């Protein structure tokens, strides 16, 4: 059983006419429908499980662990994915005008970037860019979406993906793909060729040009095209994967100069520098020429001596060595016997005759073919051995060496036995000993002559290196030959079969190309076979030639496209029958309308049919040409649509003056018919309202009552209503006529507002005001009697309130009051002294009692200390013993705690 990495997969064929069933917990992968053989690489650099025949459909699904997603979550994920695909399909229709504008912007931006890339080169070469066509093609491919395809994963190379470019063919690959390719290539080669697997370093090839790289050259960093900047940032105004700096790479072949373009893909253009060089033959004067075309011919005869050494070169000034001499001359062979006419370029030749000259022995002749120089010594001279080689003797060259008579003992052709004949001349006989031989495959044995080979009739059941066909060779020793049958598997393009010899792993991508054309066929995009299904047709710059389907003579100009033309956006321009104006609306001859059919359903299990969209022509919309029209009340003149011209109301109030002369008509704008048929816009008509409001004339100052009459002209009557007022003291309610209070002066208003009772307010001294009800604060002198006392409260006298309140009178103490105060102070001092003495006596008594108790305790302690107690040895030395023991125990406990942690 071979390991999993060498077992065959199930191919890359896609099912036609059927869909692959994916598990519920599957993740879609990018489809592989073209490219080169990829040893275990995928679009994202990960392993690819299937490689053989009968693979799954495009978009392989890889299972995810059921522990990560619940059933409901997986269902929701698949449902969202399906909705996204459906939404993408519904958005494929796009406007031709928007595409045209977007393409023009893209072309303009691309042109600016190309111009900036060629700036340094054109400055050095005087604006000549004739040598840049190949490089320009690489740059154009870098701009076009999908033009650069990774031949390993067969996916488009995007702007924001890390790439690697081959130095031999300049093909661009994804960085994870080329790393996986290099790793798998080295692994496969070493597993087949190395006896000590993985000990030798094997190169890995480029997937396209097979240029070999060493293992240490496997890319592991993402650089720009020129290799100066690692991880170049994405800039929309620079070439994708470019650093924007001058390339500065050496030209190939090397001329000493460096590339002047900005960092770019593909090979560098020819060197544009000017150098002064002479022609190939060095006869002409040096002239200034481009470094890339510095080799030139002066068109004169070369004249250099040819290799024959006799004739000059007659060719025109040329590069490199001169051609061999084309002339014919008479030349002798090496031995000098024959003479022939031969090309001057090959003077050395042999006549193919045996030399025949007598050797130095004088008995034999030279048997060598025509040669130069002496013939050498006789091969039969000197010591010669017998035929078996066991004995030697020196004899003249004319005599043969006799046989020695011993057994020959030469090893026969079988390599196992020796010749049993006596020493003899000539070849030994065939080995005829019978041995037990094993067949080549090792399954059977048989006794037979040693010189014969034993081949059994068993057929090999091993599979060949393609892992598809059996060997079926008779008596196969195990080294089965490579499979010679045709592969015949369907390629990833689904159009052709693999023409290679049957092989292991995936087939190479289909080498054919297919043209993807636009609708009109004017623009063609060449893509690898199989990509035509997923490749978007090229954008064609030709004008669409489809005839119009509406009433217009021609369509709007738009570019070639697939499908139906966009709806006509031209103005209708039909003359309306009612008003004679031209219809300005967009063309409405082909409008998609939703036609809903509501059939009678047989039951709830039936689903209602989907709505049907029908293309139909709509009538012209109502005319919208503005026509000036006055409102019913002649308040304004507004432009109305032509189809709505007629009497209308402006929604404003009528505003005409009613018969009362005080109010205006509040009705919404309406038609007015004046009785005398005048055109007075301020006079009300029969259709206006009648005034039903009350009088709104202003009332006299201070009168809050409305006029009792309806709306009238002239002055209003006097107000006779009673007004309820509060008196000045705010206790009693008074009723006064409105006319009196509004026409009275200040004094009369004060008398009308008084209740004639005593004022209930209090004065500042606290007594009640003696005046009648009055406005404002109470002002007056309080004459009520109040009693005053001396400071010791012994003498009491009466005075008027205003004098006592203002401090005009004071009652002072006499001598009797002073005597009483003196006696009271003396008695107070005597009481304080007696209290102090009592406190001192109490403290003295406490001190004596404490000393008494203290003396009694000392005597008792002295009596108890008279007993002499002798210390033991433990009490005397216990500190010296306990301290070391405790320290040792503490160290042991600390050690065990550290070990436990």
């Amino acid at each position: 059983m071979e390991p999993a990495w060498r077992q065959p997969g199930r191919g890359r064929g896609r099912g036609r006419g059927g869909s692959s069933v994916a598990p519920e917990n599957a993740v879609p992968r990018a489809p592989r429908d073209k490219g080169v053989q990829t040893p275990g690489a995928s679009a994202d650099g990960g392993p690819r499980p299937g490689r053989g025949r009968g693979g799954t459909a495009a978009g392989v699904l890889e299972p995810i662990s059921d522990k990560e997603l619940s059933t409901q979550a997986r269902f929701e994920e698949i449902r969202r994915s399906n909705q996204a695909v459906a939404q993408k399909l519904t958005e494929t229709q796009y406007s031709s005008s928007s595409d045209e504008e977007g393409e023009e912007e893209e072309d303009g931006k691309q042109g600016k970037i190309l111009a900036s890339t060629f700036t340094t080169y054109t400055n050095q070469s005087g604006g000549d860019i004739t040598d840049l066509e190949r490089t320009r093609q690489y740059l154009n491919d870098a701009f076009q979406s999908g033009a650069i395809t990774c031949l390993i994963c067969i996916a488009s190379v995007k702007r924001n993906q890390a790439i690697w470019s081959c130095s031999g063919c300049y093909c661009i690959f994804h960085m994870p793909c080329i790393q996986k390719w290099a790793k798998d290539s080295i692994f496969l080669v070493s597993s087949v060729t190395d006896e000590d697997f993985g000990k030798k370093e094997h190169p890995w090839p480029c997937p396209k040009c097979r240029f070999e790289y060493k293992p240490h050259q496997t890319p592991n960093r993402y650089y720009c095209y020129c290799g100066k900047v690692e991880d170049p940032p994405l800039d929309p105004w620079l070439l994708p994967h470019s650093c924007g700096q001058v390339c500065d790479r050496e030209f190939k072949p090397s001329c000493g100069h460096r590339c002047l373009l900005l960092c770019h893909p593909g090979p560098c253009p020819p060197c544009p520098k000017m150098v002064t060089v002479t022609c190939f033959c060095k006869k002409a004067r040096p002239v200034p020429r481009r470094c890339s075309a510095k080799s030139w011919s002066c068109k004169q005869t070369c004249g250099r001596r040819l290799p024959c050494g006799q004739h000059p070169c007659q060719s025109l000034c040329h590069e490199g060595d001169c051609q061999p001499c084309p002339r014919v001359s008479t030349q002798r062979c090496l031995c000098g016997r024959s003479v022939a006419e031969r090309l001057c370029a090959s003077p050395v030749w042999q006549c193919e005759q045996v030399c025949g000259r007598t050797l130095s022995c004088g008995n034999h002749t030279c048997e060598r073919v025509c040669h130069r120089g002496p013939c050498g010594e006789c091969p039969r001279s000197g010591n010669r051995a017998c035929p078996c080689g066991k004995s030697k003797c020196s004899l003249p060259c004319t005599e043969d060496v006799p046989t020695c008579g011993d057994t020959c003992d030469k090893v026969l052709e079988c390599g196992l036995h020796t010749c049993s004949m006596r020493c003899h001349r000539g070849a030994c006989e065939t080995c005829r000993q019978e041995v037990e031989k094993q067949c080549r495959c090792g399954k059977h044995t048989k006794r037979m002559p040693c010189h014969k080979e034993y081949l059994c009739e068993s057929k090999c059941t091993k599979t060949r290196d393609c892992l598809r066909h059996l060997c079926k060779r008779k008596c196969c020793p195990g080294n089965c030959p490579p499979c010679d049958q045709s592969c015949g598997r369907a390629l990833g393009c689904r159009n052709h079969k693999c023409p290679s010899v049957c092989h292991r792993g995936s087939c190479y991508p289909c080498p054919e190309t297919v043209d993807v054309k636009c609708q009109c066929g004017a623009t063609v995009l060449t893509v690898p076979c199989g990509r035509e299904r997923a490749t978007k047709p090229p954008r064609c710059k030709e004008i669409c030639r489809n005839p119009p389907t509406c009433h217009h003579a021609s369509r709007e100009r738009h570019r070639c496209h697939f499908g139906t033309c966009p709806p006509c956006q031209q103005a209708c321009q039909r003359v309306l029958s009612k008003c004679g104006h031209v219809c300005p609306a967009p063309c409405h001859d082909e409008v998609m309308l939703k036609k809903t059919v509501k059939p009678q359903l047989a039951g709830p299990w039936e689903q209602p049919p989907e709505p049907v969209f029908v293309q139909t022509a709509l009538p012209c919309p109502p005319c919208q040409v503005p026509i000036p029209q006055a409102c019913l009340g002649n308040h304004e003149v507004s432009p109305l649509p032509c189809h709505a011209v007629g009497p209308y109301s402006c929604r404003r109030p009528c505003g005409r003056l009613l018969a009362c002369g005080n109010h205006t008509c509040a009705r919404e704008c309406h038609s007015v018919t004046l009785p005398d048929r005048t055109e007075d816009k301020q006079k009300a008509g029969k259709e206006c309202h009648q005034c039903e409001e009350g009088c709104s004339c202003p009332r006299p100052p201070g009168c809050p009552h409305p006029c009792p009459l309806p709306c009238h002209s002239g002055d209003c009557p006097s107000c006779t209503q009673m007004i309820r007022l509060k008196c000045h003291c705010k206790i009693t309610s008074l009723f006064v006529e409105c006319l009196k209070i509004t026409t009275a002066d200040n004094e009369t208003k004060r008398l009308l507002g008084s209740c004639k009772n005593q004022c209930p307010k209090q004065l500042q001294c606290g007594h009640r005001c003696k005046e009648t009800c009055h406005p404002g604060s109470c002002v007056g002198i309080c004459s009520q009697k109040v009693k005053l006392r001396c400071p010791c409260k012994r003498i009491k006298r009466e005075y008027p309130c205003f004098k006592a309140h203002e401090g005009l009178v004071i009652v002072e103490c006499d001598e009797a009051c002073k005597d009483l105060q003196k006696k009271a102070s003396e008695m107070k001092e005597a009481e304080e002294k007696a209290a102090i003495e009592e406190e001192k006596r109490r403290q003295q008594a406490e001190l004596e009692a404490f000393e008494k108790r203290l003396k009694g305790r000392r005597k008792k302690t002295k009596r108890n200390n008279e007993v002499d107690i002798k210390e033991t040895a433990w009490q005397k030395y216990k500190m010296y013993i306990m301290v070391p023991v405790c320290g040792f125990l503490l160290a042991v406990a600390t050690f065990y705690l550290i070990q436990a942690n």
Side-chain angles (χ1 to χ4, degrees), residues 757-769:
N757 296 325
Q758 183 181 356
C759 180
K761 300 177 183 178
Q762 290 183 352
L763 299 176
Q764 294 181 356
C765 61
H767 299 111
R768 184 177 177 181
C769 180

Side-chain angles (χ1 to χ4, degrees), residues 469-632:
H469 302 105
L470 297 178
C471 177
K472 295 184 179 181
R473 188 171 65 159
K474 289 184 179 181
C475 196
C476 179
N479 54 344
C480 302
C483 185
D484 54 356
Q485 299 186 33
S486 177
C487 177
R489 287 184 290 184
L491 297 178
C493 64
R494 309 180 196 176
N495 299 327
H496 305 95
K497 292 184 178 181
C498 180
S500 304
V501 178
C502 187
H503 56 86
R504 183 192 305 181
S506 302
C507 300
Y508 280 94
C510 182
E512 302 294 332
T513 58
V514 179
D515 291 340
V516 179
K517 298 182 180 181
C518 65
Q519 177 67 19
C520 65
T523 305
V524 179
L525 178 63
T526 302
V527 297
C529 182
R531 284 294 295 274
E532 68 273 7
R533 302 180 186 89
T535 301
K536 188 177 180 181
R539 293 180 179 177
C540 181
K541 296 185 178 181
E542 299 293 330
I543 303 300
C544 178
R545 304 185 184 95
N546 294 337
T549 55
C550 59
H551 68 277
H552 291 101
S554 61
R555 288 187 181 272
E556 290 180 309
R557 290 173 60 86
H558 60 277
R559 292 187 179 178
C560 173
H561 61 88
F562 284 89
T564 59
C565 292
C568 181
Q569 300 295 330
Q570 303 179 65
C572 180
Q573 297 297 323
R574 285 179 176 171
V575 178
L576 301 178
S577 59
K578 294 183 179 180
C579 59
H581 295 122
V582 177
C583 178
C587 182
H588 44 80
D589 286 351
E590 298 174 345
V591 180
M592 299 298 294
L593 295 181
K594 182 178 179 182
K595 183 180 180 181
T596 305
V597 181
K598 295 183 179 179
Q600 187 67 26
L601 301 180
W605 59 86
E606 289 192 6
Q607 296 293 333
E610 296 183 356
V612 180
F613 291 90
V614 181
Q615 187 176 12
T616 182
L618 297 180
C620 293
C623 183
Q624 301 292 333
V625 176
I627 304 297
Q629 180 71 23
C631 65
L632 293 172

Side-chain angles (χ1 to χ4, degrees), residues 130-330:
T130 55
D131 297 332
L132 293 178
E133 293 306 321
R134 185 182 177 192
T135 306
R136 183 190 294 273
Q137 182 62 36
Y138 276 92
L139 299 183
N140 289 330
D141 291 345
F143 278 110
Q144 293 181 5
S145 176
I148 299 179
T149 304
C150 177
L151 297 183
I152 299 177
C153 65
I154 316 303
S156 298
V157 178
K158 299 181 179 179
R159 284 174 169 263
N160 55 353
Q161 292 177 335
I163 65 166
W164 175 83
S165 179
C166 175
S167 59
C169 62
Y170 305 100
C171 190
I172 294 176
F173 305 92
H174 291 120
M175 180 65 71
C177 297
I178 196 62
Q179 291 175 345
K180 186 68 176 176
W181 172 276
K183 179 180 177 182
D184 291 350
S185 299
I186 296 173
F187 185 76
L188 291 175
V189 173
S190 61
S191 64
V192 174
T193 59
D194 287 2
E195 295 180 359
D196 48 350
F197 177 71
K199 297 296 181 63
K200 297 181 181 179
E201 289 190 356
H202 296 277
W204 57 274
C206 169
K208 183 179 180 182
C209 65
R210 299 298 171 180
F211 182 80
E212 291 187 348
Y213 294 90
K214 295 183 179 179
H216 68 271
Q217 293 177 324
T218 302
N220 54 7
R221 293 287 188 274
Y222 167 41
Y223 290 96
C224 62
Y225 296 114
C226 64
K228 294 190 185 72
V229 179
E230 181 179 355
D231 294 331
L234 179 60
D235 191 341
W237 287 100
L238 286 179
L239 196 70
H241 316 292
S242 171
C243 62
Q245 304 178 22
V246 177
C247 177
D248 203 31
R249 287 183 289 183
E250 289 189 0
F251 289 108
K252 293 181 181 180
S254 178
C255 63
H257 303 128
R258 294 181 177 272
C259 181
L260 302 174
L261 294 181
L262 300 185
C263 182
H264 62 91
C268 297
C271 181
K273 294 282 187 178
M274 300 297 293
V275 293
T276 302
V277 291
T278 184
C279 63
F280 297 116
C281 64
K282 311 296 182 181
K283 292 182 179 179
R285 296 180 58 185
V287 295
R289 293 180 62 86
R290 286 279 177 86
C291 181
S292 58
K294 60 183 178 182
S295 299
W296 63 285
S297 173
C298 63
K299 305 301 180 180
Q300 299 180 14
T301 304
C302 176
R304 287 183 288 183
R305 186 68 61 183
L306 294 176
C308 66
Q310 300 178 6
H311 308 103
C313 178
Q314 298 297 327
S315 301
L316 298 181
C317 179
H318 59 86
E319 183 180 5
D321 296 334
C322 298
Q323 296 292 331
C325 183
R327 297 186 181 183
V328 177
S329 60
T330 302

Side-chain angles (χ1 to χ4, degrees), residues 387-403:
C388 67
K390 292 181 179 179
S391 61
K392 293 183 179 181
C393 59
S394 177
L395 293 174
C397 63
T398 56
E399 298 182 7
D400 294 332
V401 178
T403 58

Side-chain angles (χ1 to χ4, degrees), residues 11 14 20 22 26-32 48-50 55-63:
R14 277 81 173 170
S20 62
V27 177
R29 292 182 55 194
R32 278 185 96 243
R48 184 173 61 254
T56 57
V60 183
L61 301 176
E62 294 181 349

Side-chain angles (χ1 to χ4, degrees), residues 820-831:
L820 292 175
Q821 292 176 1
K822 186 176 182 181
K823 290 180 180 181
S825 61
E826 289 177 356
M827 290 177 65
K828 186 175 182 181
E829 290 177 359
E831 291 176 357

